[in-house]
Amino acid sequence: MDQDSHCTAERELLEAANKTATFSTTSPSDEEQNQPKAEISCQVGKENLENGELKDSNASLSPNSSMTTKELQEYWKNEKRQCRQVKLLFEIPSTRIVEHHLSKYVMYKIIILQTGSFDSNKSIIERRYSDFEKLHRNLMEEFNEEMEEVTFPKKTLTGNFTEEVINERKLAFKDYLRLIYSIKYIRRSKKFIDFLTKPELQEAYGCLRGGQYTKALEILLEVVGLQERLTRGNPFSVVPTLCAIVVCQKDLENPASAFEYGEKALSRLHVHTSHKYYIPLLETMITLAYELGKDFLSLQEKLEEWKAKKDPIRVFTLKELAVREYVK
């Protein structure tokens, strides 16, 4: 999610919590022009909370809000973190040559880092020349105008495995990723996100379908952080991955961890109850909460509320939904 979008959400929240502060709502079309205003609103909100100006929840929250003061403060802290502009850096420190019976190719190790001291996590993936070539071809089809100034390293008939050519391509691919990521519409596109995450997700779901839950979980935990960074503007897109983690943790008899990731997924769906994962996730969370001795009545109420509003339909279990992901 863009810095401006997070700040807009924060302004709306602060309007309900602090009647003395007034912020203007920024439409998506004005986000580039109104960026300074969004930054100012974040700072004002920060000062208000630091000065203890957040009033008692009964007096300051709107009639439609059920948040307590503590919950509101915690929510604001999370939103404040999102106000920081997220940027990713790409490094290609090494390569390896892969030889099969009829093929030989170079795998480029890509390290993806998030800027800022608040997050030191990194993601590591590997891609070959043909993967980059396919990405470039797909981006040219959809973003021809934006890609006009982007150059792609040409394929050579000989010398592909010499140290000189490999080093040149390492630098070229690093610059290529940096440049296309700097283009807003491209870095948000499904084609770019798929390039960075889909091969690992396909492998993970293949392991899940084969009952290899430990291996699937290992891959999913590696990729989910990168996926979240890449899809901040679309919080629903990471829900299937979080739910797959829940399935793996549950089948590995780690109910506490399964519940933790289930809460993350459910928080992204609380205003999107029509999502296909919502009810299966809710049912799984009720089972986990009961097993862990946690409050499951509130979850049960949400489930009953949904059933009262919807006509009875066939609902898959969470595991059934998970195994259907990335089926060719």
Side-chain angles (χ1 to χ4, degrees), residues 9 20 26 52 137 166 175 188 201 239 280 314 319 323:
T20 61
T26 305
R137 185 169 59 251
I166 290 175
D175 288 340
R188 293 176 175 176
L201 287 172
V239 166
R314 167 79 167 99
K319 190 172 183 177
V323 298

Side-chain angles (χ1 to χ4, degrees), residues 231-276:
T231 60
R232 285 177 179 266
N234 182 11
F236 309 127
S237 60
V238 77
V239 166
T241 306
L242 291 171
C243 289
I245 293 174
V246 172
V247 170
C248 290
Q249 295 281 24
K250 188 174 183 294
D251 279 22
L252 290 171
E253 298 183 357
N254 299 322
S257 295
F259 191 84
E260 176 188 348
Y261 280 93
E263 285 187 314
K264 291 181 180 180
L266 206 54
S267 69
R268 288 162 169 78
L269 298 178
H270 73 283
V271 294
H272 196 54
T273 58
S274 61
H275 196 284
K276 68 178 182 178

